[in-house]
Amino acid sequence: MKIDKKKDNNQYRINEQIRVKEVRIVGDDGSVVVPTRQALDMARERDEDLVMISPNAEPPVCRIIDYSKFLYQQKKKAKELKQKQVKVEVKEIRFGPQTDEHDYNFKLKHAQEFLTEGNKVRAYVFFRGRSILFKEQGEVLLLRFANDLEEYGKVEQMPKLEGKKMFLFLAPKKAGVAKKSQQKIDRERREAEAKEAQAEAPVVSNGLADNAKGASALANLKFDEE
């Protein structure tokens, strides 16, 4: 049995360091409980080491393996596990109290990507000078932002004013592609049915069409003013 003492960091008991009465030896072909002396003899026959990997089990669990190879495998597993761990970052999204629709949708898309990647999002509205008078408008903007991201993230902190900034914190729901909520599925179905009905309906007059466009524009205007 070849043991590199330089690599022996006393993390595991090996060979004669194992002083219990019996041990459970595990391997690719299963496990067996044997007296410790017999386990040591088995390790010597294979020119390998008896390594205790679970001292708190009853009886303690051991493997027969080259100790240097065993330490290398453990180090490799730890490295792979570390690489798989997702590093959560906090991404910032900044708005003005009167952010236009194009800029809003642009930042909404980025927030969706951030949350999908497993990052948190800190969105805030910055009030410059007298724009602090529009703090209610900033709060409405952040609440709309949270609602539009409900499929991707959950609210960790509701809009809160701190100095000249109003913050909203969102955390990702889970890694991977976000699924559509039932609410959005129903909404999309209703919109599709409405479009289909509109396409099949005859055009009565240009006046009705103009009124419909005007009502839609008015609704958008009222939402922006809120």
Side-chain angles (χ1 to χ4, degrees):
M1 294 177 287
K2 298 178 182 180
I3 302 174
D4 188 347
K5 292 184 179 180
K6 293 182 180 180
K7 293 184 179 181
D8 187 359
N9 56 6
N10 295 322
Q11 183 178 358
Y12 301 94
R13 292 182 182 180
I14 61 173
N15 300 329
E16 283 74 16
Q17 295 174 354
I18 303 173
R19 297 187 177 92
V20 295
K21 183 178 179 180
E22 60 182 11
V23 295
R24 179 182 296 277
I25 299 177
V26 295
D28 296 335
D29 55 349
S31 67
V32 60
V33 177
V34 298
T36 302
R37 182 50 57 187
Q38 181 180 343
L40 287 169
D41 292 340
M42 293 168 61
R44 290 192 187 97
E45 290 176 1
R46 301 182 191 181
D47 195 23
E48 292 179 334
D49 303 298
L50 184 65
V51 183
M52 183 181 289
I53 59 176
S54 183
N56 296 325
E58 186 60 41
V61 179
C62 296
R63 284 187 63 188
I64 295 178
I65 188 174
D66 181 271
Y67 188 48
S68 298
K69 181 180 179 181
F70 174 76
L71 290 178
Y72 172 77
Q73 290 176 346
Q74 295 301 106
K75 185 177 180 181
K76 185 178 179 180
K77 288 180 181 179
K79 184 178 180 181
E80 291 175 350
L81 183 63
K82 185 177 181 180
Q83 289 176 344
K84 289 180 181 179
Q85 290 177 344
V86 179
K87 184 179 179 181
V88 178
E89 298 181 2
V90 179
K91 303 291 187 177
E92 283 196 344
I93 301 289
R94 172 176 170 172
F95 292 102
Q98 296 177 321
T99 300
D100 60 43
E101 194 69 15
H102 175 76
D103 189 34
Y104 174 84
N105 289 328
F106 177 77
K107 293 177 178 178
L108 178 66
K109 182 179 178 181
H110 278 289
Q112 291 172 349
E113 294 173 355
F114 295 150
L115 292 168
T116 301
E117 292 169 357
N119 298 306
K120 293 186 177 184
V121 171
R122 177 170 59 190
Y124 68 93
V125 179
F126 179 70
F127 301 98
R128 189 188 303 274
R130 293 176 59 85
S131 65
I132 192 68
L133 298 174
F134 299 98
K135 61 181 181 180
E136 290 82 5
Q137 188 170 339
E139 183 177 6
V140 170
L141 175 65
L142 291 177
L143 290 174
R144 176 192 175 190
F145 192 64
N147 184 67
D148 289 343
L149 291 170
E150 64 177 350
E151 300 169 14
Y152 302 85
K154 56 185 178 181
V155 177
E156 278 195 337
Q157 177 185 303
M158 295 296 285
K160 181 179 179 181
L161 185 64
E162 297 180 11
K164 294 184 178 181
K165 296 179 181 179
M166 182 175 288
F167 291 95
L168 168 75
F169 285 86
L170 297 167
K173 280 190 173 179
K174 62 179 179 178
V177 180
K179 295 182 180 179
K180 291 183 179 180
S181 64
Q182 187 61 44
Q183 182 181 3
K184 185 166 185 178
I185 292 174
D186 294 340
R187 184 169 66 247
E188 290 180 349
R189 178 177 55 79
R190 289 194 299 269
E191 290 175 353
E193 291 175 352
K195 287 181 180 180
E196 185 178 350
Q198 185 177 4
E200 294 176 354
V203 179
V204 178
S205 67
N206 291 335
L208 289 176
D210 292 339
N211 287 341
K213 292 179 181 178
S216 177
L218 180 60
N220 291 334
L221 178 61
K222 288 183 177 179
F223 182 82
D224 292 338
E225 289 177 349
E226 291 176 357

